[in-house]
Amino acid sequence: MLLIPAIDLKDGKCVRLQQGDMQAATTFGDDPAAMARRWLQAGARRLHLVDLNGAFAGRPINEAAVKAIVRAVGDTLPVQLGGGIRDLDTIERLLDDGVSYVIIGTAAVKSPGFLKDACSAFGGHVIVGLDAKDGKVATDGWSKLTGHEVVDLAKKFEDYGVEAVIYTDIGRDGMLTGINVEATVKLAQALTIPVIASGGLAGMADIEQLCAVEGDGVEGVICGRSIYTGALDFVAAQARADELNGRV
């Protein structure tokens, strides 16, 4: 079970939002590279970056901060990045910058042909982010709810060759109310590619629940507000996950 610290970037700073609301941002650090080193030293095995400005602008905005993070962690820590990735040139540039995986969200839903092309051109480096509420996919920084069912879209994207799916319950994101384990497992069972849980991680109980369903295809969980507020001790949580899944 991968516990993946999230670094959300807004105006070059590290923040966390509540339910995707840019006006409800809490700043947790002014130095994204230092934050990345913090999680590297804590034993993280992957980092999750979100360019929040980019998600709303439709193009990467915080690339300087992303580059600084990649330089800070070197080759030792894979970095996945989402937010405003809408064309193949952008993907190529980000991968050249040292990003390991690009996360395509809104563009995957609105332009599935783009996603298919991205998987063909950059196989092994494309993750799809599906944000949902009550089983329906949302786009445009969660501001628009579509009629698409999560499972149906995920199956189609799996056929395109995506590496994994990040499933976020947007009703819970940033609220510390607990992961929607049931919906995450339902999605994972419908796919053969890994699913990464996201949205609402509250504490160790969530980690233990997710470890219990790792065999269903839930590979990891994105850790956001909980590890910044202290609700979850990242080091202890990763150690517990390793213990439960036989890595110790």
Side-chain angles (χ1 to χ4, degrees):
M1 179 63 60
L2 275 176
L3 274 60
I4 310 173
I7 300 177
D8 289 1
L9 301 167
K10 180 175 184 264
D11 305 329
K13 298 179 180 180
C14 307
V15 306
R16 294 302 300 169
L17 306 185
Q18 288 188 348
Q19 295 181 309
D21 183 358
M22 287 286 270
Q23 304 308 312
T26 304
T27 300
F28 285 101
D30 294 333
D31 187 344
M35 189 67 76
R37 284 192 293 271
R38 169 185 169 183
W39 298 124
L40 173 65
Q41 291 162 4
R45 296 169 195 152
R46 189 185 295 189
L47 282 181
H48 176 79
L49 310 185
V50 180
D51 185 338
L52 292 170
N53 301 104
F56 286 88
R59 59 183 175 82
I61 300 292
N62 287 286
E63 271 191 83
V66 171
K67 287 181 179 180
I69 287 170
V70 170
R71 285 196 300 270
V73 301
D75 297 329
T76 55
L77 192 59
V79 170
Q80 60 189 41
L81 169 68
I85 299 171
R86 304 282 195 271
D87 59 71
L88 298 178
D89 288 342
T90 296
I91 295 175
E92 184 172 24
R93 187 174 72 248
L94 292 171
L95 295 178
D96 286 345
D97 287 343
V99 172
S100 300
Y101 305 98
V102 293
I103 303 164
I104 302 177
T106 293
V109 181
K110 290 187 166 183
S111 308
F114 160 61
L115 177 66
K116 197 171 188 177
D117 290 343
C119 290
S120 297
F122 307 105
H125 297 283
V126 179
I127 293 173
V128 160
L130 290 178
D131 306 323
K133 188 173 184 180
D134 301 326
K136 302 289 187 183
V137 174
T139 62
D140 299 279
W142 305 351
S143 62
K144 298 177 183 175
L145 205 59
T146 72
H148 296 295
E149 294 284 344
V150 172
V151 172
D152 294 341
L153 266 188
K155 283 183 173 180
K156 182 167 83 168
F157 297 158
E158 178 179 43
D159 290 341
Y160 290 174
V162 300
E163 187 71 7
V165 173
I166 297 172
Y167 174 70
T168 303
D169 185 322
I170 63 177
R172 302 187 183 212
D173 190 75
M175 304 303 289
L176 299 177
T177 52
I179 291 283
N180 189 338
V181 176
E182 183 181 353
T184 305
V185 169
K186 179 183 174 184
L187 178 61
Q189 288 174 339
L191 305 173
T192 58
I193 55 174
V195 171
I196 297 169
S198 173
L201 179 65
M204 193 69 84
D206 284 320
I207 300 301
E208 293 178 346
Q209 282 188 66
L210 289 167
C211 287
V213 297
E214 187 167 13
D216 288 307
V218 182
E219 177 185 78
V221 57
I222 292 170
C223 308
R225 184 172 291 271
S226 61
I227 58 173
Y228 289 100
T229 62
L232 181 71
D233 180 320
F234 179 83
V235 175
Q238 184 64 76
R240 177 62 173 151
D242 289 346
E243 178 188 3
L244 287 171
N245 290 327
R247 283 187 62 130
V248 176

